[in-house]
Amino acid sequence: MKYFLLIVTFFFINFSNQENDKLIGRYYYLIESNNFYIQKDKITFKDSVFVFDNKYLPKGKISYGNIILLENFINTDLIITIRKDQIKKDTILFYMHDKNGGGNYLDISSGKGKLIKIK
C-alpha cells in the first residue's frame, strides 16, 4: 500500500511540474521587409489550431515536434517554422518556407517574422 501511495505521489508531482509546450493565446503577426517589421494581422492559437482575425483566411494546423510547424498559413504552399524554445517567450521569431522551393524546403528560408503576444 505504501508503494502505491509513493507511486501516486510521484505521478502528481511530475504531472504538476510539466511545462506547457503548446502555442496558446493571441499574437500580432509581423513580417520582416527591408529590415523593418510590418504588422499584417492578429492570430489566435488554440492548442493545435490557429485562426487569423481576418475572417477570409482559413484555419491552420499546428504540428508539434522538435520544430513547431504552422501549416496552411496564408496559402497552402507556405509553412512557418518556430523553434520549440521560442514558444515560452512573449516575442516569437519564426521563419517562412515555400513548399515549391524544391528539395528539402524546410532547409531554405524565404522570409522571417515575429509573433508578439497580446496581453
Side-chain angles (χ1 to χ4, degrees), residues 7-110:
I7 290 172
V8 171
T9 304
F10 283 133
F11 174 75
F12 282 114
I13 290 172
N14 189 23
F15 184 72
S16 64
N17 287 338
Q18 286 183 343
E19 296 177 14
N20 187 3
D21 290 340
K22 305 279 183 183
L23 278 170
I24 297 173
R26 291 190 72 214
Y27 290 83
Y28 291 111
Y29 161 57
L30 293 89
I31 296 219
E32 182 184 289
S33 177
N34 298 325
N35 294 328
F36 292 103
Y37 285 95
I38 301 167
Q39 181 179 340
K40 293 292 187 178
D41 205 349
K42 295 176 185 171
I43 303 175
T44 302
F45 293 100
K46 294 179 182 175
D47 198 27
S48 62
V49 176
F50 66 91
V51 63
F52 287 91
D53 283 2
N54 182 346
K55 303 292 187 230
Y56 300 106
L57 293 174
K59 287 183 180 180
K61 67 178 184 173
I62 304 170
S63 301
Y64 293 98
N66 292 336
I67 294 177
I68 298 166
L69 300 175
L70 305 179
E71 299 179 58
N72 198 17
F73 201 67
I74 293 173
N75 61 39
T76 56
D77 296 329
L78 184 66
I79 289 187
I80 302 296
T81 58
I82 301 172
R83 288 191 352 228
K84 195 164 191 156
D85 64 343
Q86 291 285 315
I87 64 172
K88 297 174 185 163
K89 300 178 181 178
D90 286 341
T91 300
I92 299 172
L93 301 174
F94 67 82
Y95 294 94
M96 297 181 283
H97 308 275
D98 186 5
K99 283 185 180 179
N100 296 328
N104 190 357
Y105 57 88
L106 292 177
D107 289 339
I108 303 168
S109 175
S110 61

